[in-house]
């Protein structure tokens, strides 16, 4: 019988209470995810000060972001599978130790090379932490209300980490200097690292097939090339030769990867898994919600500072409201999923996000628009978090423990690629427009249209009766999920 993970949870209405140990395990795993999310945004406001201190030219500053994004996104699938085969706990702890050491190096960097080396090693550590941390979470907490609640807390903290990074980055840079942003990450790593070994138990697949080396080389190389091309395009446009070459190379390597996986006995990525509708459509939802929300945050930051004249700190406060409402959404979403099912929650959340982003078309150069921006982006973030949690549930439920690293690797790869592609594809329209306000409105309109179109497509795709490639059985939409 096929497993349909779009149906609502049917366990007893009272969610079992977590033991103290389980709560501590959840704290360690969520704190690590929060730390990585924080790293994505805490440095943004500090870049000009950092560049002046270390002697980095404005054109070189993009590498402070890109050099972290390359390994953190490029090695996710590989490390997720390595954790499955050789031990998730071992790789998680290794990633934590590497991240802590790299943060110390970045904090005390004495020149651009040492700083960029620290950032690259942070990205490599993050690539080990994120997929293994999520797979440890999904193997620790069984499917049902307990896992729903754990994923809800994890998703909330990931979203909150990005927002807290934006707010704290400005405050720390203005008061203690740019090095304190990297020092904050060091403190987080040194809190989590001593606790993790005694709380986490090792898990891996019962059998240990050979690692798919050709698949690992092609997918890692393809993702690295793709992320480099898109990250560089965000600052320099798509006309540069290295951008075009990277995007073509990345596309070719990922095509070769798909061919390799179809002919390998023990593939890095199971193509039948990708053909399961909950995994395919769920990850599409994740790709859209992450990429489009990151684009909105990017263009709103430009709008608030360049058009309305807000300071970096005031801009951070606007997004601070977003963080508060994200916490509320994180506590409510598992209950919504339990009542309506993951499919309907995902589709409804995307529809809400798209509609609220469309409300930003009313922005203008008047100062009162700050209230519209604050309200719309904050409420949209609640829908965004609903989409994050529901797509994570859909894309990992019904997957055996031995493949959880693969499933969570897909989920986290979707997140990382999405955070990379949104701004280059749409945000560049705002930065290259002759009139910034017109550019912002253009981006907002396209952003809302993409999210709303995705909601319709995913709703139709998940409602259709299909044959599950993994079992050959026909999946029918359960009554409770209609």
């Amino acid at each position: 019988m096929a497993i349909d993970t779009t149906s609502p949870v049917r366990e007893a209405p009272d969610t079992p209470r977590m033991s103290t140990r389980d709560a501590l395990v959840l704290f360690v795993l969520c704190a690590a995810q929060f730390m990585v999310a924080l790293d994505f945004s805490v440095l943004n406001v500090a870049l000009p000060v950092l560049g002046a201190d270390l002697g980095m030219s404005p054109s070189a500053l993009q590498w402070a972001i890109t050099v972290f994004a390359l390994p953190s996104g490029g090695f996710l699938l590989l490390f997720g599978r390595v954790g499955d085969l050789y031990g998730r706990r071992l790789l998680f702890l290794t990633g934590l130790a590497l991240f802590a050491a790299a943060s110390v190096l970045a904090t005390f960097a004495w020149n651009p090379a040492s700083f960029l080396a620290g950032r690259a090693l942070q990205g490599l550590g993050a690539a080990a932490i994120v997929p293994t941390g999520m797979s440890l979470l999904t193997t620790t907490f069984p499917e049902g209300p307990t896992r729903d609640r754990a994923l809800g807390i994890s998703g909330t903290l990931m979203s909150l980490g990005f927002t807290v990074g934006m707010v704290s980055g400005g405050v720390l840079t203005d008061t203690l200097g740019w090095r304190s942003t990297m020092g904050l990450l060091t403190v987080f790593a040194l809190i989590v690292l001593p606790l993790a070994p005694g709380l986490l138990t090792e898990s891996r697949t019962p059998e240990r097939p050979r690692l798919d080396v050709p698949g690992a080389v092609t997918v890692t190389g393809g993702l690295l090339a793709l992320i480099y091309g898109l990250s560089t395009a965000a600052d320099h446009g798509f006309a540069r030769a290295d951008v075009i070459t990277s995007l073509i190379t990345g596309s070719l390597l990922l095509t070769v990867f798909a061919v390799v996986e179809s002919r390998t006995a023990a593939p890095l990525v199971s193509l039948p898994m990708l053909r399961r509708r909950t995994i395919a459509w769920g990850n599409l939802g994740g790709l859209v919600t992450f990429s489009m929300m990151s684009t909105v945050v990017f263009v709103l930051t430009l709008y608030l500072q360049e058009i309305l004249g807000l300071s970096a700190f005031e801009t951070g406060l606007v997004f601070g409201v977003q963080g508060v409402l994200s916490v509320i959404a994180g506590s409510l979403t598992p209950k919504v999923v339990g009542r309506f099912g993951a499919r309907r929650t995902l589709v409804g959340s995307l529809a809400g996000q798209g509609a609220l982003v469309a409300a930003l078309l009313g922005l203008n150069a008047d100062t009162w628009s700050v209230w519209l921006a604050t309200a719309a982006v904050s409420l949209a973030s609640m829908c965004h978090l609903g989409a994050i949690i529901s797509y994570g549930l859909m894309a990992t439920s019904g997957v055996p423990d031995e493949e959880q690293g693969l499933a969570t690797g897909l989920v986290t790869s979707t997140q990382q690629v999405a955070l990379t592609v949104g701004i280059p594809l749409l945000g560049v329209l705002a930065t290259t427009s002759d009139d910034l306000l017109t550019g912002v409105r253009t981006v907002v309109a396209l952003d809302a249209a993409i999210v709303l179109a995705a909601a319709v497509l995913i709703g139709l795709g998940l409602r259709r009766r299909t044959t599950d490639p993994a079992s050959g059985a026909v999946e029918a939409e359960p009554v409770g999920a209609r």
Side-chain angles (χ1 to χ4, degrees):
M1 176 181 291
I3 298 175
D4 192 318
T5 59
T6 65
S7 60
V9 178
R10 292 183 173 81
E11 281 84 1
D14 293 330
T15 302
R17 293 180 61 86
M18 289 186 187
S19 66
T20 301
R21 181 181 180 84
D22 284 347
L24 289 173
V25 168
L26 183 61
F27 168 78
V28 166
L29 297 176
C30 288
Q33 303 284 0
F34 179 87
M35 174 184 69
V36 173
L38 191 71
D39 201 4
F40 270 97
S41 58
V42 73
L43 195 63
N44 291 347
V45 177
L47 286 179
V49 179
L50 180 155
D53 184 37
L54 292 181
M56 296 177 69
S57 66
S59 60
L61 285 179
Q62 64 133 345
W63 281 100
I65 306 299
T66 302
V67 79
F68 174 83
L70 283 171
S72 67
F75 287 90
L76 274 171
L77 276 176
L78 174 60
F79 285 170
R81 192 55 175 164
V82 168
D84 279 347
L85 299 179
Y86 300 104
R88 296 159 185 146
R89 175 182 177 273
L90 174 62
L91 190 56
F92 180 81
L93 295 177
T94 302
L96 272 177
L98 178 60
F99 191 94
S103 298
V104 172
L105 175 59
T107 301
F108 296 101
W110 56 93
N111 58 26
S114 59
F115 175 74
L116 293 177
R119 290 289 288 164
L121 292 173
Q122 278 182 330
L124 198 63
I129 292 168
V130 174
T132 53
M134 185 169 283
S135 59
L136 284 168
L137 187 150
T138 55
T139 54
T140 299
F141 300 99
E143 284 192 43
T146 303
R147 183 187 290 184
D148 292 356
R149 185 171 62 174
L151 285 173
I153 294 171
S154 177
T156 299
L157 289 177
M158 285 185 66
S159 178
L160 188 61
F162 186 84
T163 303
V164 169
M166 294 186 63
V167 177
S168 62
V171 174
L172 289 173
T173 301
D174 287 344
T175 57
L176 300 176
W178 71 266
R179 295 180 187 274
S180 62
T181 63
M182 296 292 97
L184 178 63
L185 299 173
T186 304
V187 170
F188 263 100
L190 293 179
I191 290 174
V192 176
L193 187 57
L195 296 175
L199 291 170
L200 302 178
T201 56
E202 188 58 277
S203 68
R204 60 170 65 91
T205 56
E207 299 176 358
R208 193 177 297 179
R210 294 178 60 184
L211 181 65
D212 174 20
V213 175
V217 171
T218 51
V219 73
T220 302
L223 288 173
L224 287 172
L226 189 65
I227 291 170
Y228 171 80
L230 291 171
S231 299
T232 305
D235 291 289
H236 303 289
F238 287 91
R240 283 180 36 149
D242 59 337
V243 171
I244 296 172
T245 302
S246 296
L247 294 178
I248 293 174
T249 301
S251 300
L252 289 175
L253 284 172
L254 292 178
T255 301
V256 173
F257 169 69
V259 174
V260 168
E261 297 307 276
S262 67
R263 300 179 179 180
T264 302
L268 187 68
V269 173
S270 169
L271 295 184
M273 176 184 286
L274 288 177
R275 289 195 290 268
R276 289 185 59 171
R277 61 178 186 160
T278 51
I279 290 178
W281 289 109
N283 277 288
L284 175 62
L287 181 69
V288 170
T289 192
F290 269 105
S291 60
M292 294 300 100
M293 199 64 195
S294 66
T295 303
V296 168
V297 171
F298 173 75
V299 297
L300 272 186
T301 302
L302 293 177
Y303 167 79
L304 294 170
Q305 295 189 17
E306 300 296 330
I307 296 177
L308 297 188
L310 270 63
S311 67
F313 176 71
E314 291 168 332
T315 300
L317 291 180
V318 170
F319 292 109
V321 178
Q322 174 191 15
V324 172
L325 293 186
S326 294
V327 172
I328 297 173
S331 64
L332 294 177
T333 298
K335 299 176 182 178
V336 175
V337 171
R339 174 67 178 84
F340 297 103
R343 175 185 67 83
R344 296 176 70 175
T345 304
L346 175 60
V347 172
S349 296
L350 288 171
Q353 179 180 328
L356 288 160
V357 169
L360 293 171
L361 289 170
L363 295 176
N364 56 41
D366 296 332
T367 54
W368 67 264
S369 288
V370 70
W371 299 107
L372 171 60
T374 302
V377 76
S378 299
L379 293 173
S381 72
M382 295 185 73
C383 297
H384 168 63
L385 194 63
I388 291 175
I389 295 172
S390 53
Y391 110 82
L393 286 169
M394 286 179 56
T396 57
S397 297
V399 177
D401 282 355
E402 61 268 19
E403 293 185 343
Q404 278 293 331
L406 173 56
T408 56
L410 288 172
V411 169
T412 50
S413 293
T414 295
Q415 295 171 5
Q416 301 285 23
V417 172
L419 290 169
T420 304
V421 303
I423 294 173
L425 292 179
L426 294 185
V428 70
L429 296 176
T431 58
T432 58
S433 175
D434 292 333
D435 178 63
L436 181 57
L437 182 57
T438 300
V440 168
R441 286 174 175 163
T442 300
V443 172
V444 164
L446 290 172
D447 190 292
I450 290 171
V451 177
L452 291 171
V456 173
L457 288 174
I458 293 170
L460 293 174
L462 288 173
R463 191 175 184 83
R464 200 170 54 241
R465 289 172 63 91
T466 58
T467 300
D468 180 6
S471 65
V474 176
E475 291 183 302
E477 191 72 27
V479 175
R482 291 186 187 278

